[in-house]
Every structure is written in C-alpha cells, then in structure tokens.
C-alpha cells in the first residue's frame, strides 16, 4: 500500500510530492505501527480543527452581541459562512449557523444574523446556559451589568447600549438589534443637513 504525502520545501514554495511505501520490509513492525498511528492522529486533528471556531470568534461575535460594533448583517453573514459553512436554516428573518464556539466561558451552539426581510439588523446567539448563568459569566468577564426590563416569570435582561438576553427554552439567546440605517439617498434629504 502506498501513502502519498504532499509537502513543501523549507521556503514554503510549490509543494513537492513525496511517496513512501509501507511494506514492512526493512522496517520493524513497531515503527510501522507508530507511523500509521501518527498519521491517523494528524488526520484526526486536522478534521477536528476544521470545524472549530476561529480565534476571532470572541472578538467579532462577542463584541457584536454586546452592541460594541456596528451591526452589518452582510459582514456577519460572510464571517459565519467562512468560519462554519452555509447556514443550516433561514427562519424568523435570520440565517442560522451551527457553531462550536465559546463566549465568556459558555458554549455557543448557534449564531444567527438577520436577512434582508427583517425590519432590524441583528446578530444573535444561542448559549448553552440559562439567562442567569450567561448574565453572570458576562458580568464576571466584562463587567457589563444587565437590568431586568420586565417583571414576567421569564424577564428580558438588557445592557446598555441595548444588548439583550432572553429565555430560549432551557437555554438563552443573546442578541444585539438595531434599526436599519436609511439608504444614502434618503439620508441626504433629512432636515438639518
């Protein structure tokens, strides 16, 4: 059986094709088994890291969810598409992406970004924790405090400038939503300009 390995030279120039034969002849059985196990480990690590959240996940998605950035649905859509592949559904005025990231020490299983049918532009996420635990984790790590803005059995929590945490079954949903900006043609007609 042949194993084909693609490698590049030390300067990173065009790949060179290397071939190795595993026949067992001239190689002790233990060394052949170790080489096969090493190759299997490398393939498993490559497959595992392919679906992992990028290192920018906390900065880009975390800041967006805290309304610390402009909310541009095309930007977030492109980021999520590149990081996690195509959206698995389009529902409720949003594209939904399966993720495997962590924010504030809480696993994030889904991230959604508004589509153009919504009156708002937003980015949101499903956290694998109750709103109380999510709020506590954010407060501990960022110092951001949320206020309960209603007195229902499942109160909405809001932080300035309008980031919200709501109940989502046994989990929570955190999001930042803003009204869409006026198109440039209408924006120039506003009084006082």
């Amino acid at each position: 059986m042949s194993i084909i390995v693609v490698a590049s030279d030390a300067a990173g120039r065009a790949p060179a094709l290397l071939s190795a034969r595993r026949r067992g002849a001239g190689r002790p059985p233990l060394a052949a088994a170790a080489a096969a196990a090493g190759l299997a480990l490398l393939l498993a690590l490559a497959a595992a890291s392919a679906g992992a959240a990028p290192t920018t996940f906390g900065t880009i998605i975390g800041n967006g969810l805290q309304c610390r950035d402009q909310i541009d649905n095309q930007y977030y859509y492109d980021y999520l598409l590149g990081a996690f592949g195509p959206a698995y559904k389009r529902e409720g005025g949003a594209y939904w992406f399966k993720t495997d990231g962590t924010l504030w020490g809480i696993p994030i299983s889904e991230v959604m970004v508004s589509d153009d049918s919504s009156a708002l532009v937003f980015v949101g996420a499903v956290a694998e924790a109750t709103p109380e635990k999510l709020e506590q984790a954010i407060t501990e790590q960022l110092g951001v405090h949320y206020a309960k803005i209603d007195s229902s059995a499942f109160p909405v929590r809001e932080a300035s400038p309008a980031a919200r945490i709501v109940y989502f079954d046994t989990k929570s949903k955190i999001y930042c939503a803003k009204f869409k900006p006026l198109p440039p043609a209408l924006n120039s007609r506003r009084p006082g300009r």
Side-chain angles (χ1 to χ4, degrees), residues 1-3 19-29 32:
M1 167 160 101
S2 290
I3 298 174
S19 172
R21 292 215 179 264
R22 277 187 30 204
R23 294 186 190 159
R27 179 183 268 192

Side-chain angles (χ1 to χ4, degrees), residues 39-49:
L39 181 60
L41 178 63
L42 286 174
L43 291 174
L45 288 173
S49 66

Side-chain angles (χ1 to χ4, degrees), residues 54-137:
T55 57
T56 56
F57 185 73
T59 303
I60 292 174
I61 300 301
N63 283 338
L65 294 171
Q66 291 297 314
C67 294
R68 291 182 170 175
D69 206 347
Q70 291 187 26
I71 303 300
D72 177 355
N73 58 346
Q74 184 67 52
Y75 171 78
Y76 285 104
Y77 178 87
D78 291 343
Y79 175 81
L80 293 166
L81 178 66
F84 301 106
Y88 78 96
K89 70 178 177 179
R90 185 175 182 184
E91 179 179 283
Y95 294 100
W96 293 65
F97 294 84
K98 292 275 188 195
T99 62
D100 61 355
T102 301
L103 294 173
W104 315 291
I106 304 289
I108 303 297
S109 59
E110 298 170 280
V111 175
M112 67 283 306
V113 61
S114 60
D115 63 18
D116 286 334
S117 71
S118 175
L120 302 170
V121 290
F122 62 86
V123 62
V126 175
E128 297 294 316
T130 63
E132 294 83 6
K133 288 186 181 184
L134 179 59
E135 177 185 6
Q136 179 183 8

